[in-house]
Amino acid sequence: MKPAILTDLTLCIGCEACVWACKEVNGLPREGGAAQLSATTWTAVEHRGEVNVRRQCMHCLDPACASVCPVAAIHQTPEGPVVYDESRCMGCRYCMIGCPFGVPKYEWDSPLPRVQKCQMCFQQRIKEGRQPACTEACPTGATIFGDRDALLAEAHRRIAAEPDRYVDHVYGESEAGGTSVLYLSAVPFAELGFAGAVSTDPYPRLTWDVLSKLPNVVSIGGLLLFGIWWLARRRETLAQLRNGEITLAEAVKRMPPLIGDAASPPHSPDPSVDLEGGLKGGEGRPHPGGADADLTEGPRSES
């Protein structure tokens, strides 16, 4: 079984029973209110015109928050719910940035702050074979608990049975690669504040598609930088050779070597060879007396 929750917004009466049940089972203060998610309100009911919208963690099938957490404080259980272990948390808040639905909240007013979010009552109830407190408390059946595949089938059955009542979309079926919290609505989800620009691919997979290409980018970039260094260094060596600042032997031994192999003894190149393609009239050519000869000396007179 893949634990999941289906919320039918056409059945929600805005009683907030789910909110207070969540607070009670998790020991959260009632003073935090019920209108929006916070560090002390893990499920909320927003009143948008005549529609009551229940909010909570979406419990993604491939959670971005867990993938960016460097210490696995937020992690996905084998059963599916995404939970938080405060003993591991280092306070980096990467999970808050990574979540495409903006769910995790931080205890900004606490001297020892934690990240807080819905745990789907995993430890207190699901592991014991019970349903979450929120779904158990709902008086109208607007939010129900069950296996994800079964709930998806039920959602599509309702849409097919009453097409004039529902938008032809189950929110959470494909958003962010699929979530364990699903929604039905009579009003387009974008009008109710649901994230509309959410990828249908899991966000960790999108990240991996980028990271997997970095080795190639680094390798090509490294070769490019080496090529730039090689050309700049070679031009510098040629300039110093022209100005008589170094000898040909010193030029050959430099990295990159001007000509020949740096490990082999210096030798005189063919005087007709242009060292850079721009040396004319023998400028910079080795002295007839050998590679170690002083380039500043004039030609020796022949005996």
Side-chain angles (χ1 to χ4, degrees):
M1 173 181 174
K2 299 177 182 177
I5 292 174
L6 171 63
T7 296
D8 187 336
L9 299 181
T10 68
L11 299 176
C12 182
I13 60 175
C15 67
E16 300 177 352
C18 55
V19 178
W20 307 115
C22 174
K23 285 179 174 290
E24 181 178 353
V25 75
N26 290 292
L28 301 172
R30 296 179 67 87
E31 294 76 14
Q36 62 182 4
L37 295 179
S38 69
T40 57
T41 301
W42 297 358
T43 187
V45 176
E46 299 177 359
H47 304 285
R48 292 181 172 263
E50 297 181 357
V51 182
N52 303 300
V53 182
R54 183 185 171 212
R55 301 287 191 187
Q56 65 174 108
C57 174
M58 297 294 288
H59 292 277
C60 300
L61 301 182
D62 195 352
C65 59
S67 72
V68 299
C69 181
V71 293
I74 286 188
H75 60 279
Q76 187 174 38
T77 63
E79 292 81 0
V82 181
V83 299
Y84 171 72
D85 183 350
E86 64 181 71
S87 67
R88 295 182 179 182
C89 184
M90 57 186 281
C92 67
R93 303 189 296 280
Y94 288 169
C95 56
M96 297 173 64
I97 300 172
C99 176
F101 303 104
V103 169
K105 304 300 179 185
Y106 198 61
E107 294 179 325
W108 296 102
D109 298 330
S110 173
L112 297 173
R114 300 166 296 177
V115 172
Q116 299 284 38
K117 72 172 204 68
C118 163
Q119 315 275 329
M120 204 186 276
C121 291
F122 179 71
Q123 293 292 341
Q124 307 100 313
R125 300 174 73 91
I126 290 181
K127 287 184 69 174
E128 298 177 359
R130 304 166 64 192
Q131 64 176 310
C134 56
T135 58
E136 185 177 72
C138 183
T140 65
T143 183
I144 59 178
F145 175 76
D147 176 72
R148 185 176 188 271
D149 292 338
L151 292 179
L152 275 173
E154 172 61 17
H156 286 292
R157 185 197 67 77
R158 294 185 189 185
I159 293 174
E162 299 182 83
D164 295 333
R165 178 174 183 173
Y166 296 101
V167 172
D168 189 13
H169 180 62
V170 180
Y171 193 89
E173 181 174 14
S174 59
E175 280 75 11
T179 65
S180 296
V181 174
L182 309 167
Y183 286 90
L184 287 174
S185 174
V187 178
F189 290 101
E191 297 179 15
L192 299 176
F194 283 77
V198 178
S199 171
T200 55
D201 292 322
Y203 281 85
R205 186 182 303 170
L206 295 176
T207 303
W208 172 247
D209 288 343
V210 174
L211 293 178
S212 62
K213 295 177 174 59
L214 286 182
N216 292 334
V217 172
V218 172
S219 299
I220 295 172
L223 288 174
L224 179 62
L225 290 175
F226 175 79
I228 294 173
W229 171 85
W230 193 94
L231 290 173
R233 180 68 169 169
R234 186 171 184 274
R235 287 172 182 262
E236 179 186 1
T237 300
L238 284 169
Q240 291 178 337
L241 184 61
R242 289 194 196 100
N243 297 332
E245 299 175 11
I246 59 173
T247 65
L248 182 60
E250 291 173 332
V252 170
K253 292 178 181 179
R254 281 196 173 186
M255 291 297 294
L258 185 61
I259 53 175
D261 190 297
S264 60
H267 60 279
S268 298
D270 183 348
S272 65
V273 176
D274 188 339
L275 291 177
E276 193 187 21
L279 300 180
K280 302 299 182 179
E283 181 183 356
R285 292 176 182 168
H287 194 279
D292 292 326
D294 187 347
L295 293 179
T296 61
E297 296 179 1
R300 295 178 181 178
S301 59
E302 298 194 12
S303 55

